[in-house]
Amino acid sequence: MQNRYAADIGDFVKLSMLRHLAPGFKLGVLWWLYPDEDHNADGKHVAYLDRPQLWRMKDPTLYDKLNLIVKSESRSVESLQGANLFEEVVYHSVKLPTAGDAAGRRVARLEWFKEAVSAVEGCNLLFLDPDNGLETKNYRSGSAKSGKSVALSELKVLQRPNRTIVVYHHHTRMAGGNIVELAYWGDRLADLGFRVDALRAGVGTARAFFLLDATPELQERAAFFAQHWGDKVTWHPALCSRKP
């Protein structure tokens, strides 16, 4: 997540999803906040706000609040947090450390993550919002761009009995396409000891939300959310292809 993305079309779908899932749960949002970059035009995808006849019906309250944030030129996670989108929520919005050398970043990342774990300790539903998603093939915790990803080891630390974790993943150009990539991550996450389902959203760019250890109630809500969004979102339950 970067502040410049706040209230874009990607935020609309992910926040609407969380609003469908969260009632009755204590939600913890780990923004995985990465410093704003300016090398591309990402984050400008707010044209959906000019087409209320197409988008507003998906979540009118959320749509209006995001529209207000954009129109007031106050796009940031702080503005999202102040919009009162959830009944019971804890946010962790400390920026990820990017300064210094690899060794320094590695130590700072460990401290950042320790604080994040502590902040959401009492939450039974977590949402992790990294800039890119799950760790890359050559992921290193001290690398300059490591803050864009969630390490699989970090997911494991956050796992608790009776806790569901939802983690954002931006689809890559994996050979075989998005469905193959969903299956790939389904197997890898299952190897860590998670039960894995996913929502895939073809809104703006293709993105996935992996639901780890989802309760039956949350699985039903996720399936309903996909149905509500029509051809924009699809539900992919029980992703692991390996027999137990």
Side-chain angles (χ1 to χ4, degrees):
M1 179 62 176
Q2 298 181 31
N3 277 318
R4 65 185 178 133
Y5 297 154
D8 70 3
I9 185 67
D11 266 11
F12 185 46
V13 67
K14 78 186 179 191
L15 293 170
S16 183
M17 173 198 66
L18 287 177
R19 283 162 54 81
H20 274 74
L21 297 181
F25 291 83
K26 185 170 183 180
L27 174 65
V29 176
L30 301 176
W31 288 116
W32 240 258
L33 186 59
Y34 194 81
D36 279 353
E37 300 172 298
D38 58 8
H39 64 278
N40 58 39
D42 286 356
K44 296 182 179 179
H45 303 298
V46 293
Y48 76 101
L49 294 170
D50 298 324
R51 304 177 70 189
Q53 71 282 3
L54 177 62
W55 295 105
R56 188 176 182 275
M57 70 185 71
K58 304 297 185 186
D59 192 328
T61 298
L62 175 62
Y63 184 95
D64 292 344
K65 290 186 175 186
L66 296 185
N67 193 29
L68 181 61
I69 288 172
V70 172
K71 295 296 190 291
S72 63
E73 298 184 352
S74 58
R75 297 177 66 186
S76 66
V77 297
E78 183 178 2
S79 292
L80 295 178
Q81 292 174 183
N84 298 317
L85 300 174
F86 306 102
E87 295 176 1
E88 188 174 12
V89 61
V90 174
Y91 293 105
H92 184 262
S93 56
V94 178
K95 283 186 180 179
L96 283 141
T98 57
D101 59 14
R105 285 192 296 266
R106 190 176 298 111
V107 172
R109 172 67 171 257
L110 288 172
E111 288 301 312
W112 177 91
F113 184 65
K114 182 179 179 180
E115 293 176 6
V117 172
S118 177
V120 297
E121 189 57 46
C123 299
N124 56 359
L125 175 62
L126 301 186
F127 177 62
L128 281 56
D129 194 19
D131 201 29
N132 288 346
L134 297 165
E135 66 178 46
T136 59
K137 182 179 180 180
N138 299 313
Y139 175 83
R140 297 290 184 275
S141 63
S143 69
K145 299 291 187 179
S146 63
K148 288 174 168 282
S149 304
V150 174
L152 297 186
S153 60
E154 291 170 333
L155 286 178
K156 192 63 182 175
V157 171
L158 288 167
Q159 188 178 32
R160 300 281 188 281
N162 304 312
R163 171 187 278 179
T164 297
I165 300 173
V166 183
V167 57
Y168 169 86
H169 180 71
H170 194 95
H171 273 296
T172 66
R173 297 178 180 178
M174 180 177 287
N178 295 167
I179 302 305
V180 169
E181 187 171 10
L182 289 177
Y184 167 81
W185 282 113
D187 287 343
R188 288 200 66 186
L189 293 165
D191 286 343
L192 290 177
F194 290 106
R195 300 187 310 275
V196 188
D197 310 292
L199 287 161
R200 179 192 174 278
V203 178
T205 57
R207 63 199 79 215
F209 304 95
F210 290 99
L211 282 71
L212 309 180
D213 295 338
T215 65
E217 180 180 10
L218 286 172
Q219 289 173 318
E220 290 181 7
R221 292 182 185 184
F224 178 80
F225 175 76
Q227 183 180 15
H228 176 64
W229 275 67
D231 62 354
K232 303 296 184 183
V233 178
T234 52
W235 170 235
H236 303 266
L239 275 176
C240 181
S241 64
R242 299 167 187 162
K243 294 181 179 180

